[in-house]
Amino acid sequence: MNNSKKILAIAASVAMLGSLAACGNSGSSSSGSGSSEDVKLLVWTPQEDQKAGWIQDQEKAFEKAHPEYKITWTNKVVSEGDTGTTVKKDPAAAADVYLFANDQLGMLVEANAIGELSDSAAEQVKADNDEAMVQSVTNDGKLYGVPFTGNTWFMYYNKSKLSDADVKNFNTMMDKAKVSFSIDNSWYLPAFYYANGGTLYGPDGTDASAGAQFGGEQGAAVTKFLAENIAAGKIIDDVDGSGLAGLGNGSVDVIFSGTWDAENVKKALGDNYAAAQLPTVTIDGKEQQMKSFAGSKAVAYNPNSKFQKVAAQFAAFLGSEEAQLAHYEKRGVVPTIKSLLDNDKVKNDIAAQAQAATIANTAVLQPTITEMSNFWDPTQAFGKALVQKDVTPDNAAEKTEAWVAQLNKQ
């Protein structure tokens, strides 16, 4: 496709999305035929997007697609993980357009710092993405922002040590290979508790009153399983990159991480590089599916923007098919749009396919309600106690109940 056709395609994509602003939020308007409107937009992206030139390229393409605007751009470095807390300090002074990790959605909505999608934009996002990605940007039945990549973790392994059949079950892998897992990382540890029937804030993660249900006999059985296998040396704690280093020196055969580690894992494993969705795990004789937290990273506009209409259009533009493909080509950021997952480049990407399979088959949507702020620190502390063997098979039930009580403390 030549450049002129690409520009037309992008413009058409944005037109289909329509204004992201909800009804009544019209923002500034075009100054009429034959003249251009002066617009100033502050854009926040991670440093990697600016270093690779992705955001600058998209800004130039947007200008070509919208000659009715004369735009002065200001780009500042704010990572997706820091957006929520940075915006909350002063929503009116925050970026007009920003990228964010969806676990901050509740915080952004409460701060009135994120624009709701219009009906037409919401329908387009639903058509482009699978249900998990749609739900990742949904709050109280309303959609905010356009997802541009999935955010989850899966399994990398040395295929000279483990077959396709071996990696379907965690216990089999422990028996045949050296498995590294981030036990003391609260984003990873819940996978085992979900496998044995646990829930967090109800079945869909939105019911704060339901609390954390990781205790009881089922939760104690998980804790005992982990304590036994840590003590036996069958689970090696992956801390400070030790798992990745172990892949390189042969002391580890399996790690659990995400697409951000793909290039490093390739270098470590070479021809033995492989990845897959999460395995099942057998606890108390029952084989059940491990489940990772899944979410998205998305692009949004600030409803406090002085140029809300243009900000909404540019947010849509950054989530479009052309922009997502460019993001993948420049930085390896795996797209969410279903048609792009069938793109030859993405289809041949082992990590991209493992991520897509995980989100579709072996993940739960990470809760975005504000009560999740109570989850991370106690869970990390509990994981560390497991690694340090302060939690043992004998005290597993007692320690599990103490941890869950902390999670449910008001």
Side-chain angles (χ1 to χ4, degrees):
M1 185 182 290
N2 63 38
N3 288 338
S4 62
K5 289 183 178 178
K6 279 187 177 181
I7 293 165
L8 289 172
I10 294 170
S13 175
V14 174
M16 287 177 68
L17 276 171
S19 172
L20 284 177
C23 293
N25 292 338
S26 59
S28 57
S29 61
S30 177
S31 55
S33 178
S35 61
S36 59
E37 177 186 358
D38 287 331
V39 173
K40 293 181 179 180
L41 290 182
L42 171 60
V43 181
W44 287 351
T45 65
Q47 185 173 14
E48 295 85 354
D49 284 337
Q50 298 184 31
K51 187 176 179 180
W54 175 75
I55 190 63
Q56 296 91 333
D57 287 351
Q58 299 313 307
E59 288 166 352
K60 290 174 184 175
F62 183 77
E63 287 177 346
K64 290 179 181 177
H66 288 276
E68 69 272 25
Y69 305 133
K70 182 180 179 182
I71 306 174
T72 300
W73 303 95
T74 302
N75 295 321
K76 289 195 174 179
V77 172
V78 178
S79 71
E80 297 102 339
D82 294 332
T83 297
T85 52
T86 308
V87 169
K88 194 175 180 180
K89 292 174 183 176
D90 188 353
D96 301 283
V97 177
Y98 56 80
L99 277 53
F100 72 102
N102 85 297
D103 63 313
Q104 301 164 69
L105 181 57
M107 181 192 307
L108 290 165
V109 171
E110 286 186 4
N112 189 34
I114 188 168
E116 180 188 344
L117 302 190
S118 67
D119 290 345
S120 60
E123 288 306 311
Q124 188 65 40
V125 168
K126 290 176 183 178
D128 283 343
N129 298 275
D130 65 26
E131 184 61 18
M133 291 297 95
V134 174
Q135 289 303 315
S136 74
V137 291
T138 300
N139 182 283
D140 196 23
K142 300 173 183 177
L143 271 69
Y144 298 85
V146 181
F148 65 85
T149 192
N151 191 25
T152 192
W153 53 271
F154 46 88
M155 179 171 55
Y156 290 106
Y157 65 97
N158 184 330
K159 66 181 182 182
S160 73
K161 300 287 185 70
L162 294 162
S163 68
D164 290 348
D166 292 336
V167 298
K168 293 185 183 300
N169 180 265
F170 192 88
N171 307 62
T172 302
M173 291 193 298
M174 287 193 298
D175 289 339
K176 293 189 173 185
K178 297 165 185 173
V179 178
S180 181
F181 189 93
S182 297
I183 293 292
D184 55 356
N185 186 316
S186 45
W187 201 44
Y188 291 76
L189 183 60
F192 294 100
Y193 293 88
Y194 275 117
N196 212 34
T199 60
L200 190 59
Y201 307 122
D204 62 359
T206 61
D207 183 1
S209 65
Q213 301 300 323
F214 286 160
E217 290 184 7
Q218 289 174 305
V222 176
T223 304
K224 182 180 179 183
F225 167 85
L226 293 171
E228 287 174 343
N229 286 290
I230 290 168
K234 288 192 169 185
I235 301 176
I236 305 165
D237 185 42
D238 187 351
V239 60
D240 297 330
S242 60
L244 182 59
L247 288 179
N249 63 32
S251 63
V252 164
D253 303 311
V254 181
I255 70 167
F256 295 81
S257 188
T259 53
W260 55 88
D261 263 340
E263 289 304 315
N264 290 326
V265 175
K266 283 180 192 176
K267 290 176 184 176
L269 290 177
D271 292 340
N272 295 319
Y273 168 69
Q277 66 182 34
L278 297 197
T280 59
V281 61
T282 305
I283 299 173
D284 271 356
K286 294 181 292 184
E287 184 178 6
Q288 301 193 71
Q289 182 61 58
M290 290 177 66
K291 294 178 180 178
S292 59
F293 279 141
S296 68
K297 293 181 180 179
V299 56
Y301 75 96
N302 188 339
N304 301 288
S305 172
K306 293 178 181 178
F307 302 95
Q308 188 183 118
K309 175 186 173 183
V310 189
Q313 289 175 325
F314 186 55
F317 190 90
L318 290 182
S320 69
E321 186 170 340
E322 292 284 347
Q324 286 197 26
L325 181 57
H327 217 175
Y328 177 74
E329 290 174 341
K330 279 195 171 286
R331 283 198 51 220
V333 176
V334 179
T336 64
I337 293 177
K338 289 181 285 188
S339 60
L340 287 179
L341 293 174
D342 286 329
N343 178 283
D344 287 342
K345 293 178 182 177
V346 181
K347 194 178 281 188
N348 292 324
D349 185 326
I350 290 171
Q353 293 305 311
Q355 174 176 283
T358 296
I359 290 172
N361 305 318
T362 67
V364 294
L365 187 66
Q366 181 174 323
T368 61
I369 58 177
T370 54
E371 285 74 11
M372 272 298 284
S373 62
N374 301 325
F375 175 80
W376 306 110
D377 289 347
T379 303
Q380 183 183 36
F382 183 65
K384 286 183 176 179
L386 273 163
V387 172
Q388 294 166 358
K389 302 184 178 66
D390 295 331
V391 178
T392 68
D394 291 336
N395 67 19
E398 174 192 346
K399 294 291 187 179
T400 303
E401 292 307 315
W403 165 50
V404 174
Q406 280 186 292
L407 298 182
N408 292 326
K409 186 182 292 185
Q410 297 298 318

